[in-house]
Amino acid sequence: MRALARLAVTTLLVAAPLTAVTAAASAVADPTPITVLTSDFEDGTVQGWAGRSAETLAPSTTVAHGGTGSLSVSGRTATWQGPSFDVLDTFVKGTAYTISVWVRTASGSDNARLSVERRTGGVAAYDQVAGNTAVTSGGWTNLTGRYTLATDVEFLRIYVETASTTGAFFIDDVTASYVPALPIQTGIPSVKDVVTEFPVGAAITGAETVTEHGQLLAKHFASVTPGNALKWDATEPSENTFTYTQADPLIAWAKAHGTAVRGHTLVWHNQTPAWVFLGADGQPMTATAEDKELLLGRLENHIRNVAGHYGDDIGVWDVVNEVIDESQADGMRRSTWFTVTGLDYIRTAFRVAREVLPAATLCINDYNTNVAAKRDALFALVSQLRTEGVPVDCVGHQMHINVSWPSVADTRAMLQKFVPLGVEQQITEMDVSIYTGSGESFPAPPADRLLQQAYVYRDMFALFREFAGEITSVTLWGLADDNTWLDTFPVTRKDAPLLFDTVLQAKSAYWGVVDPSKIEQTPPGTSGCAVTYRVTGSWTGGFQGEVKVANTGTTAWTGWTLTWAFTGGQTVTQLWNGTVAQSGTAVTVTNTSWNGAVAGGGSATAGFLGSWTGGNPAPTAFTVNGTACTVL
């Protein structure tokens, strides 16, 4: 799936007895960060910064984020050129650093990135700390992200680059800091010991295998998935040149700890080097017999080398990833793989993988399979492939979800759909975002969202256990909230989608999986809701509706999020007095700025226009802020 976000002092923490544990939003407050790098450019020097090539770096007073000075970067001839700073003697392996830099273009606009270059044995590798972020000449933009050095290196520098242009820019007020590590909680149950129906795993980078992260990983999880280290760009960056420097340490850690490994992934339309899709003439491939033969040959060679390198050390592989596009009539994503080879790249990938790995479980993996059109297209593809004798053993459901979507009913339908095929099913990339839309951003995870998240984990794991005969593993897409790809996707903001917080302490979400009785409960009698849904007008294929949410408790709402699921193919086309988002059957309505505050005994009403196909039954269940409501 998507790329993971990249991410010593010991503080003594006395753990409460297990019997006294109450699951809180976060077990402890974040300790005070310790700053190890500050560059403010107030002394009229470049303060140790240097260019990555022949660009010019100079102190400047033209603009400044703080004070009167900044660093000017000009004379760039390539986008990767920019200011860099040596942190080899500053950063300690296994410590998670937060790096922050303020950026402003001299003119125009671009996207800027904050990255790290590291070298081992003369071989360079590049880690992204903060992804593409819009920067302009009209003001300062902050690039910030976490970075953990997980291996020994001989060269380590942070740097700023741009995505598209080579214009001049400024940086200012650069800092790097870390939060002193807390001991992991050893007096709480291990996830892998409580959930015994199937192994529970985590996606990892090297950062998750060292210090306290490695201890947390070993305590709680029975399997690991290298998030990026086995993808094509990491293992075969140039043709027939294979490197396993990223993945080998992760596999070695798993072997040393008796932990199973899921391989991810042999074929994907993303994170595949450009050379793979160039013909013998150096031009982009097209649907010719020559290009098809060349592309399938490259695919076979890649799988034989990468899968063969690890052999039985990896027992499960996501062979192909994200091949479905339900908007297409045939349900297939129009990747270069497909436009050049049709379905033959999928057939080839599975057949070669079976030859190389006769005992491995081979999976096809995709996201949003809880959406009916997506799962139907995937079902049709898997049915066809298995009828042809293609060895698809397993269907992987990514399960990147949020606190209000999808419903348990939709997820149950997802799992039930594939039961007749007789394939294994695996939850491969699960996380639960605290956000319900791209327009939200919280400075800290709100307590109510963390509570909603705990209930989602509770309900989903209860459902997975119902299907224990079908599901053979569940993998969370990350170890803890300090390193999650959702910090930069779909927009840059701090998310908290996993079981452990940024200082590796158990959240309410953890208790939702391990012991739901310990989830922090809302005091009785202080909250409650009721919903009235009615159709106010109807015509062929369309209707007008109204939904009223009432606060039946005694505590005022400062905002509300209403969810329901349609069962008759309805779609909301316009809504007023709220903001609407719909994914498949799931509808989420959030308040506007003027009707978010609802006192105890008060109510708010939203109206909408909708379309329907096949029927227009009223929804039968609603939630407000994660709480099931009485339907009036």
Side-chain angles (χ1 to χ4, degrees):
M1 167 39 218
R2 322 282 197 249
L4 287 169
R6 287 8 180 240
L7 274 179
V9 176
T10 301
T11 301
L12 179 63
L13 179 68
V14 179
L18 181 59
T19 55
V21 169
T22 298
S26 179
V28 294
D30 285 4
T32 302
I34 295 175
T35 299
V36 297
L37 167 65
T38 300
S39 295
D40 59 9
F41 309 108
E42 294 299 305
D43 61 0
T45 74
V46 298
Q47 297 185 347
W49 287 76
R52 304 188 71 215
S53 182
E55 63 271 48
T56 300
L57 272 61
S60 173
T61 56
T62 302
V63 292
H65 173 258
T68 59
S70 64
L71 183 69
S72 168
V73 185
S74 61
R76 302 168 63 234
T77 59
T79 58
W80 55 266
Q81 295 175 2
S84 72
F85 190 87
D86 184 0
V87 292
L88 181 62
D89 295 328
T90 303
F91 284 9
V92 176
K93 185 172 71 172
T95 297
Y97 294 92
T98 297
I99 309 172
S100 172
V101 56
W102 290 87
V103 184
R104 177 175 182 157
T105 58
S107 62
S109 62
D110 201 345
N111 282 301
R113 296 189 290 263
L114 175 61
S115 303
V116 169
E117 179 181 359
R118 53 185 167 86
R119 299 178 193 168
T120 303
V123 178
Y126 305 90
D127 301 317
Q128 192 173 99
V129 179
N132 281 344
T133 305
V135 293
T136 71
S137 59
W140 291 90
T141 299
N142 184 236
L143 304 182
T144 187
R146 290 176 182 253
Y147 181 74
T148 302
L149 178 65
T151 58
D152 293 325
V153 295
E154 65 209 20
F155 178 100
L156 190 69
R157 298 186 75 96
I158 60 174
Y159 65 94
V160 178
E161 61 185 335
T162 54
S164 303
T165 66
T166 58
F169 62 85
F170 302 90
I171 68 169
D172 199 3
D173 292 336
V174 184
T175 61
S177 62
Y178 70 93
V179 173
L182 291 174
I184 70 165
Q185 296 158 292
T186 58
I188 61 176
S190 298
V191 173
K192 64 184 180 183
D193 293 340
V194 174
V195 183
T196 58
E197 294 87 348
F198 36 72
V200 180
I204 61 169
T205 66
E208 279 71 51
T209 64
V210 292
T211 62
E212 288 79 10
H213 288 81
Q215 296 168 23
L216 187 72
L217 182 64
K219 173 175 172 57
H220 288 286
F221 295 102
S223 73
V224 294
T225 299
N228 289 298
L230 288 171
K231 291 174 181 172
W232 200 310
D233 59 351
T235 54
E236 193 185 2
S238 58
E239 187 161 14
N240 216 32
T241 299
F242 292 90
T243 175
Y244 304 102
T245 56
Q246 293 186 48
D248 276 356
L250 306 185
I251 309 306
W253 184 95
K255 292 179 69 175
H257 289 81
T259 303
V261 181
R262 294 191 79 263
H264 178 81
T265 173
L266 294 172
V267 188
W268 191 27
H269 61 279
N270 282 336
Q271 290 184 252
T272 303
W275 65 262
V276 177
F277 302 121
L278 296 179
D281 58 359
Q283 298 301 306
M285 287 182 170
T286 57
T288 64
E290 294 77 13
D291 282 350
K292 178 177 180 178
E293 180 181 7
L294 178 59
L295 185 55
L296 292 179
R298 287 172 174 169
L299 173 60
E300 178 171 350
N301 183 59
H302 180 79
I303 294 174
R304 290 193 182 280
N305 277 275
V306 176
H309 177 77
Y310 291 106
D312 293 338
D313 288 344
I314 299 179
V316 181
W317 276 94
D318 291 329
V319 177
V320 295
N321 192 47
E322 298 179 4
V323 303
I324 298 298
D325 178 356
E326 65 273 30
S327 69
Q328 300 290 337
D330 59 7
M332 297 304 302
R333 180 184 294 276
R334 292 312 192 255
S335 66
T336 304
W337 289 112
F338 182 80
T339 58
V340 174
T341 76
L343 292 180
D344 283 345
Y345 80 97
I346 301 177
R347 298 180 177 112
T348 297
F350 275 97
R351 286 170 175 158
V352 173
R354 174 63 82 231
E355 290 178 23
V356 178
L357 304 168
T361 299
L362 306 181
C363 301
I364 186 170
N365 189 48
D366 223 312
Y367 65 95
N368 284 2
T369 49
N370 37 41
V371 175
K374 187 78 169 251
R375 66 172 174 260
D376 289 349
L378 181 59
F379 178 88
L381 174 63
V382 175
S383 297
Q384 177 184 342
L385 293 173
R386 285 173 61 85
T387 298
E388 295 173 356
V390 179
V392 182
D393 304 320
C394 159
V395 170
H397 307 285
Q398 291 184 9
M399 287 293 287
H400 295 290
I401 62 179
N402 66 46
V403 293
S404 66
W405 177 87
S407 67
V408 172
D410 282 342
T411 309
R412 177 179 282 106
M414 170 191 83
L415 297 170
Q416 189 62 49
K417 178 72 176 183
F418 292 90
V419 170
L421 290 182
V423 293
E424 294 183 26
Q425 298 189 64
Q426 297 190 356
I427 308 302
T428 58
E429 305 181 17
M430 185 177 184
D431 44 31
V432 181
S433 172
I434 62 172
Y435 297 104
T436 60
S438 296
E440 293 184 322
S441 182
F442 305 128
D448 65 324
R449 292 295 176 94
L450 293 176
L451 187 58
Q452 286 178 260
Q453 181 186 67
Y455 289 139
V456 171
Y457 271 111
R458 177 198 65 184
D459 295 344
M460 288 301 175
F461 266 77
L463 175 64
F464 299 158
R465 283 163 155 156
E466 286 182 30
F467 283 82
E470 310 294 331
I471 293 176
T472 55
S473 77
V474 174
T475 297
L476 303 180
W477 204 242
L479 174 65
D481 289 343
D482 66 330
N483 190 6
T484 167
W485 73 295
L486 291 174
D487 282 352
T488 57
F489 182 89
V491 296
T492 299
R493 60 191 174 183
K494 187 71 193 89
D495 210 326
L498 298 165
L499 305 186
F500 301 94
D501 65 17
T502 57
V503 289
L504 311 188
Q505 305 300 292
K507 297 161 51 182
S508 296
Y510 160 85
W511 293 106
V513 173
V514 170
D515 185 354
S517 71
K518 290 185 171 63
I519 297 176
E520 183 181 84
Q521 301 292 328
T522 302
T526 63
S527 67
C529 56
V531 173
T532 304
Y533 176 99
R534 65 192 186 101
V535 174
T536 59
S538 184
W539 54 93
T540 302
F543 69 105
Q544 180 171 332
E546 179 181 271
V547 60
K548 176 183 177 182
V549 294
N551 181 352
T552 59
T554 58
T555 302
W557 300 341
T558 57
W560 51 269
T561 299
L562 169 69
T563 66
W564 73 82
F566 279 128
T567 60
Q570 302 103 314
T571 300
V572 176
T573 57
Q574 180 181 348
L575 183 134
W576 49 95
N577 295 336
T579 301
V580 66
Q582 183 168 351
S583 180
T585 62
V587 179
T588 301
V589 177
T590 55
N591 62 271
T592 64
S593 59
W594 63 83
N595 66 355
V598 180
S603 65
T605 300
F608 63 93
L609 298 177
S611 62
W612 56 273
T613 56
N616 190 19
T620 57
F622 299 83
T623 68
V624 170
N625 297 338
T627 299
C629 300
T630 302
V631 181
L632 302 177

